[in-house]
Each structure stands twice: as C-alpha cells, then as structure tokens.
Amino acid sequence: MKVQVHQRFESRLPEDDTHPYRSGAWRPQQTEYDAWELEVEGEIPRDLAGCYLRNTENPLLPPIQRYHPFDGDGMLHSISFQDGDAVYRNRFIPTDGFLAEREAGEALFSGAAESPKLARQQCSLGARPNMKDASSTDVVVHAGKALTSYYLCGDLYQCDPFTLEPGGKADFGGHFPREGVSAHTKVDEVSDELLFFNYGTEAPYMHYGVLDPNGALAHYTDIPLPGPRLPHDLAFTESYAIVNDCPLFWDAEALAGGKYATRYHPELPTRFGILPRRGTAEDLRWFEAAPTYVLHWVNAFEDGDEVVLDGFFQGNPSPKPLPDATLEQVMFRFLDLHSMESRLHRWRFDLRTGETREECLSDRIQEFGMINGRYGGRPHRYAYMALPAEGWFGFEGVIKRDFARGSEEVFRLPENVFASETVMAPRLGSTAEDDGYLVTFTMDVGNDRSECWILDAANPVDGPLARIALPERISSGVHAFWHAGQPG
Ligand SMILES: [Fe+2]
C-alpha cells in the first residue's frame, strides 16, 4: 500500500480514553491519508465504478462536560473504484465549528448531552442553539458534489466526492434557508432532483424543499406542525414527498426553560404528511398511524391509489433505564436499537379514503436500510439492513431482505468486527435490481484494522469478494452513500 499523510491533527483526548464512543469501534482518528495500490485479498470487480462515501465522528478535544458521539467532528472517507483498482482518502470536514475550536484549542460549543447554557461561544443551528454543526451525520452526492449534513439542521458542506477537496457551503443559488437543512436530504437518481427538509422550535416548525439537477433552489414551502418536533428522515415517491410528525419530541415545559429533553407521547398518533413534490401546505394530506418513533425510511413508492412506505418502527421509542444503569447507559440508551425494539415495518396510505394500514414485516431487530438507489421512490424488491449490536451503537452484519418472498438472509461479521452502513452499488450495465455489490468499511477492533469489504449483492451470505486494507482503523460513524460515476 502506498500511503501519504495529508495532514495530522493534534488530539487533546486522553490516551487511555475509556469513553464507549471514543474507544473500541468508535476510536477517533486524527490523521488524514491518501492511499493507493491498496492490498487486496480477493479481487475488486472490474465492473464496480464509483465511490463509497462514509461520514464518521472524530473528536479531537475534550467536551465542556459530557461527550455524546454526535458531537464529534465530521470526517469523510472516500474509496473510489475503477477498472478493478481502488483509491482511498479521508478528510475532516472543515466546518466553521471545527475551525473555531481548533483555533481556540478547546471545546466552544455544548454537546447533545449538555445544556446549551454551557457553551463558551454562541451559535445557532436550525433545531437547537449553541451546538456545533459538525456536518457528521449524513452524506449524499448531488450535481457532482458530495454534501455532508447534520441531524439538527445546519449547513450543507460541499466537497469533491473523489478527492474530498473542500468546496465551501452549499448556497442553493443564493437561497439557502435560514432555518438550515436537516440530514437525510434525498437524491432522486431518475429526476436528478434533491429533496430536503428542516425543522426547528419556531412556527411553522418544518419546511420542505427541492433542488433542481444543478443545485439551485426550485421549491421551498412551510410544513405547519402543532409544535416543535424531531423528524429525522424524509421519504419520496415519483410524485410525492412524505414528511412525518412522530409523537416523540422536546418536552414543551422543559423547552420553555431552555432544556432540551425528549418525551414520548404514546397517547398521540404518528402522523404522515403527503404532498406533491412541488406542493405547498395547502396540498398536504395527513394520515394517522400507531404511535412510534422512526429514525429511517427504507423507501416509498406508489401502488395504485396507495402510497407505500417502508421504514423502522420502534416498539419502545423511549426505553426506561435499568435501575442499576450507569450514567453512560442512561445517556446512550437511545443509541441501542435493541432497547428501542426497531423493526422493519410497512405503512400503506390510501389516497382515496385517507386510511392507513400498517404491518410489521420481520421480528428481527434491524435498522439503516439501503436499496439500489435507482429504485428510490419506485417499487423495490430488495433492501439491505444493518444487523445492530446489542447494548450499544454498532453493526454486526448485513441483512438482505427480499420483499417479494418475505425472506431475509443474514451475513454476520466475525466476532469483534463491525460494519459501516452498507451501500448497494449496481454493477456497470446491470439490469436486475440486486445485480451489483455491497460495499462497507469494517472496524476490526481485535486486530486494530479497517478494511473495505465488497460483497455480491445477490448473495451476500457467500462472504466478501474483496477485502481491501485501509491505512488505519476508522471510527464507526453513522451514514454512508454510493455514488456511481467517475471523477469529472
Ligand atoms: Fe440518520
């Protein structure tokens, strides 16, 4: 492997750090690399072309009081494939907050598990004050640019998906919303549009918008909600966008006192708002369903008069801490998909009658579903889910779901090896939906090593076709994206 260090950053974290999300599979990196002529076990398919992008959290400084993994500075990893060869790079995302804290040499902003009053510097994110926009949650590629985003609504930081060369903040042709943009912007690979939303604590509490294929703002509209809400994801079909109002949101009384504590309201329904993709608040139709909280959708599509939505229903959105739980177990119980009882679920919204039908599709705990991106908004047969570890936020394998057969196949990683969010990369010239590859980064804690694994998307249980060594073990992180294409 040929490796060049691009930049090395000083870390002020303790060397013997025991924080559960700054050690093990979550140990942060502090070095940026370019690597090529990578060691490969097996063979990189020659018909795999494009890049796998992975966003991860990598803190360099101790928090003001309590670290939460979503506070860590965003670091983007890119591995690009062409003609059976691969090139890897990783870079910190040069957000305003990252640069300001490096300059100061200390944490300036309050974290997800801290009071906003602790912040040493004021700032405003769309959904919560005084937190750093770490741009560490999600990544997509639109109009040739990688866009990283943060779940509490901030800027979209741009970079080249192959070189990771920074490209400043997206400005939507001078119309970037003052409310910011949430993670989980959605790219429609057929129309080349990008759909987005934001949410906050001021009326109308949500907005929805569309970018044209060139990245200019084509549509932006209010989505009035009954109060501040915490939607995390957006879904779309060929004709509609689907927003959500789940009954887990900031406790109103605490919020009035400047405290950000979530509260589940099982007496309220989950509400789904369906509107034409260029529609306004007047076009919104609300559908009610059983109370839950949903982090992520798999996909949505139209079926006659119905809109079908697949996602992950939480049976226990607000798990109670065990009586002997440590402070860390209490703080991080919302990161354990087992305790939240996250399961694959299908909702059907009848546009004629206004009725909702819903069903649980699998008993298995799962989340982070990915499909072949060409089927986004259209009927899909397959999806690839993460198999969550129990008790903490990590993935022990990949589940392939066949919706037509109602079957699941599970590929488990070896003990102490964890996967990233795994993407589906269609093979060059493919026509079948599952004709392609699954791509993921592994965190092998026992051997202190990370690799990129390529699996056959039709038969992931057969194990990796290629294992490609990375220069250093990466930190676990949250979301990833597959971008087909070549450097422009
Ligand atoms: Fe997410």
Side-chain angles (χ1 to χ4, degrees):
M1 176 186 336
K2 298 269 171 62
V3 181
Q4 195 172 337
V5 170
H6 179 260
Q7 196 168 348
R8 190 163 274 145
F9 294 81
E10 187 200 353
S11 170
R12 300 211 174 158
L13 295 171
E15 273 190 27
D16 55 347
D17 208 341
T18 56
H19 189 289
Y21 291 98
R22 288 188 319 226
S23 60
W26 285 80
R27 185 187 64 192
Q29 287 180 278
Q30 57 196 87
T31 306
E32 299 175 335
Y33 299 96
D34 292 347
W36 63 102
E37 295 182 22
L38 305 170
E39 285 158 30
V40 184
E41 197 176 299
E43 212 168 308
I44 301 172
R46 299 187 70 83
D47 52 9
L48 176 63
C51 66
Y52 172 55
L53 291 165
R54 172 98 182 116
N55 205 341
T56 57
E57 286 92 351
N58 292 263
L60 292 168
L61 298 165
I64 295 175
Q65 193 178 71
R66 278 199 293 265
Y67 179 71
H68 185 285
F70 298 164
D71 305 337
D73 294 296
M75 176 186 276
L76 204 55
H77 305 260
S78 169
I79 187 162
S80 55
F81 302 97
Q82 189 171 20
D83 301 326
D85 199 13
V87 176
Y88 166 84
R89 291 184 179 86
N90 68 314
R91 297 286 187 272
F92 277 102
I93 300 162
T95 64
D96 293 346
F98 175 74
L99 298 175
E101 290 191 331
R102 262 191 71 216
E103 177 84 27
E106 63 174 3
L108 297 174
F109 306 99
S110 56
E114 294 174 333
S115 163
K117 292 176 189 148
L118 287 174
R120 297 174 176 129
Q121 190 167 306
Q122 310 291 302
C123 71
S124 180
L125 270 172
R128 188 172 159 168
N130 294 352
M131 269 180 71
K132 177 172 54 180
D133 174 2
S135 210
S136 56
T137 310
D138 196 16
V139 57
V140 299
V141 177
H142 183 245
K145 291 172 185 153
L147 303 170
T148 57
S149 53
Y150 196 52
Y151 74 112
L152 288 168
C153 304
D155 282 303
L156 295 177
Y157 283 87
Q158 306 177 128
C159 69
D160 182 281
F162 297 94
T163 64
L164 302 183
E165 183 69 26
K169 301 174 189 176
D171 78 342
F172 292 6
H175 300 286
F176 193 84
R178 71 177 176 84
E179 299 87 359
V181 170
S182 172
H184 296 301
T185 58
K186 296 284 165 173
V187 178
D188 181 338
E189 292 190 19
V190 177
S191 72
D192 281 334
E193 291 171 307
L194 179 141
L195 285 64
F196 68 92
F197 73 105
N198 60 39
Y199 60 97
T201 50
E202 282 174 33
Y205 307 109
M206 191 193 270
H207 299 86
Y208 155 78
V210 182
L211 297 189
D212 72 13
N214 300 314
L217 188 65
H219 182 65
Y220 191 64
T221 186
D222 291 356
I223 304 286
L225 297 176
R229 294 294 187 266
L230 290 167
H232 183 73
D233 199 357
L234 174 73
F236 70 94
T237 71
E238 280 186 82
S239 310
Y240 301 103
I242 308 167
V243 296
N244 66 89
D245 169 4
C246 291
L248 180 131
F249 45 84
W250 302 129
D251 181 271
E253 217 170 279
L255 191 62
K259 289 200 183 111
Y260 290 77
T262 55
R263 188 166 159 203
Y264 182 50
H265 297 265
E267 72 282 7
L268 296 177
T270 298
R271 299 195 315 140
F272 296 86
I274 301 184
L275 74 163
R277 279 168 53 161
R278 299 287 176 102
T280 64
E282 281 113 67
D283 305 312
L284 253 175
R285 287 186 64 189
W286 288 101
F287 292 77
E288 294 194 353
T292 185
Y293 186 76
V294 179
L295 266 176
H296 300 117
W297 311 114
V298 177
N299 193 29
F301 57 91
E302 293 152 43
D303 180 15
D305 290 320
E306 289 185 315
V307 168
V308 182
L309 174 64
D310 289 342
F312 301 97
F313 184 100
Q314 295 182 357
N316 188 11
S318 189
K320 298 268 174 299
L322 296 169
D324 56 349
T326 63
L327 175 64
E328 278 172 351
Q329 285 168 332
V330 175
M331 273 168 65
F332 302 133
R333 68 191 190 282
F334 291 100
L335 296 172
D336 176 5
L337 293 158
H338 282 265
S339 66
M340 291 185 294
E341 300 169 20
S342 164
R343 290 189 172 91
L344 186 64
H345 201 80
R346 176 164 280 187
W347 293 262
R348 284 183 168 270
F349 309 108
D350 190 321
L351 298 172
R352 266 178 325 141
T353 64
E355 307 238 305
T356 307
R357 285 188 290 145
E358 58 183 307
E359 60 175 326
C360 176
L361 297 183
S362 170
D363 281 342
R364 199 188 305 276
I365 300 299
Q366 51 192 296
E367 240 283 1
F368 291 84
M370 282 285 195
I371 57 164
N372 177 335
R374 295 175 189 169
Y375 291 77
R378 283 85 188 162
H380 59 273
R381 174 167 175 180
Y382 303 104
Y384 306 89
M385 268 66 75
L387 181 71
E390 209 168 335
W392 63 287
F393 187 18
F395 304 146
E396 293 179 339
V398 184
I399 303 160
K400 180 184 182 185
R401 169 94 195 170
D402 180 339
F403 288 86
R405 286 194 180 156
S407 61
E408 288 175 354
E409 291 173 84
V410 180
F411 171 70
R412 279 178 194 274
L413 285 128
E415 203 176 333
N416 242 354
V417 183
F418 303 96
S420 300
E421 187 172 52
T422 301
V423 297
M424 195 283 177
R427 197 172 60 80
L428 279 181
S430 71
T431 49
E433 185 184 335
D434 65 345
D435 185 7
Y437 304 100
L438 301 186
V439 186
T440 196
F441 287 141
T442 62
M443 283 71 58
D444 180 343
V445 179
N447 296 304
D448 193 12
R449 181 181 167 87
S450 269
E451 294 175 340
C452 176
W453 286 23
I454 301 169
L455 302 141
D456 178 356
N459 296 297
V461 289
D462 290 353
L465 302 167
R467 293 171 51 167
I468 308 162
L470 304 187
E472 185 179 47
R473 175 149 63 88
I474 71 166
S475 173
S476 196
V478 185
H479 288 295
F481 190 79
W482 172 255
H483 170 54
Q486 290 306 311

